[in-house]
C-alpha cells in the first residue's frame, strides 16, 4: 500500500520562511537524497486558509512512496534534507505519515 509523508510548516508568531530558498535549494536536496525512493513529491505555498482568511501554513510538502519500506529507506537517506531546515525557516515542521486512500 502506498504511504505519504506530509511536512507542514505552521505560521506562528515570530516565525519566518524563505520560499525562494525552499524552492531553489531545499526541494532539489529532497530530490537528490530521497528521490530514488519517491513515487511523487510536490510542495504547495500557503496563500489562504479560506475566503478572506490568511493561511495557517507557509507551505506543505507531500511525498508519496510505494510502501512503508521505501519511506523508511528515504528517511535513512534524509540527513542532509533535515539538516537544511534551519536555512529557510525557524518554525517547527509538523509531520503526518498516512496510508494513501485516494
Amino acid at each position: 500500500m502506498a504511504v505519504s509523508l506530509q511536512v507542514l510548516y505552521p505560521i506562528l508568531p515570530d516565525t519566518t520562511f524563505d520560499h525562494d530558498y525552499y524552492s531553489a535549494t531545499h526541494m532539489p536536496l529532497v530530490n537528490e537524497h530521497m528521490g530514488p525512493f519517491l513515487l511523487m513529491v510536490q510542495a504547495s505555498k500557503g496563500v489562504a486558509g479560506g475566503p478572506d482568511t490568511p493561511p495557517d501554513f507557509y507551505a506543505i510538502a507531500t511525498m508519496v512512496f510505494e510502501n512503508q519500506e521505501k519511506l523508511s529507506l528515504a528517511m535513512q537517506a534524509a540527513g542532509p534534507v533535515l539538516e537544511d531546515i534551519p536555512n529557510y525557516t525557524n518554525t517547527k515542521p509538523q509531520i503526518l505519515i498516512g496510508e494513501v486512500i485516494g
Side-chain angles (χ1 to χ4, degrees), residues 52-69:
D52 301 318
T53 305
D56 291 324
F57 299 94
Y58 291 109
I60 298 175
T62 302
M63 294 168 252
V64 178
F65 302 88
E66 182 180 351
N67 52 43
Q68 182 63 46
E69 179 184 357

Side-chain angles (χ1 to χ4, degrees), residues 17-29 31 43 88:
F17 193 96
D18 184 340
H19 286 283
D20 291 335
Y21 183 95
Y22 182 72
S23 62
T25 303
H26 186 73
M27 290 308 294
L29 276 177
N31 285 322
Y88 61 89

